[in-house]
Amino acid sequence: MQRQQGFSYVVVMFLVAVLSIVSVRALESTLTAERRDKEAQLLFVGQAYAAAIAAYYNGSQGTEKRWPKKPDDLLLDDRSNRISRPLRKLYRDPITGSKVWGYVYDDGNLIGVYSLSTQKPLKRDQFPPQQASFRNAASYQNWKFVYVPQ
């Protein structure tokens, strides 16, 4: 009887170790899936900002096209008789969770947005042609959603 004492303890410790490893793997998988979802949201929201800038620019009256000066200009475009709303609301950055974005300006005109996150993206390739510059980016800050007129 004395020689069998402690055997159950070793089995329980082995099971605890196996459960710990499985739990860590499941947590890593969940965090990766969550981050991929945030990347997809960033791509969607960034494209929404670029489309709103395009709508504002192309909605200009006459031959002279005008850019928005600040992000709030995208919420209400009242430059003509027909009021439009290129963007429903100012979205949060899905990666940082903040309402603060990086803005791309050209001569004082808002032409694009980007995330302020310095994390390295999981998605490295297979972007649409208008986002070809996102390929192998060092951080989300390199994902610049800019409208370039034709």
Side-chain angles (χ1 to χ4, degrees), residues 50-68 73-74 77 79 84 86 109-111 147-150:
I53 291 169
Y56 188 95
Y57 178 80
N58 293 323
S60 299
Q61 295 292 325
T63 58
E64 184 180 337
K65 300 291 185 180
R66 290 192 355 212
W67 294 91
D73 292 345
L74 299 173
D77 184 6
R79 297 174 295 166
S84 68
N109 300 317
L110 178 67
I111 63 169
Y147 172 65
V148 179
Q150 299 297 341

Side-chain angles (χ1 to χ4, degrees), residues 54-94:
Y56 188 95
Y57 178 80
N58 293 323
S60 299
Q61 295 292 325
T63 58
E64 184 180 337
K65 300 291 185 180
R66 290 192 355 212
W67 294 91
K69 297 292 182 191
K70 57 189 185 301
D72 291 335
D73 292 345
L74 299 173
L75 296 177
L76 180 64
D77 184 6
D78 58 357
R79 297 174 295 166
S80 67
N81 293 340
R82 193 178 123 266
I83 294 175
S84 68
R85 300 181 189 279
L87 197 62
R88 285 185 21 206
K89 66 178 184 174
L90 295 179
Y91 294 99
R92 290 185 176 273
D93 178 350

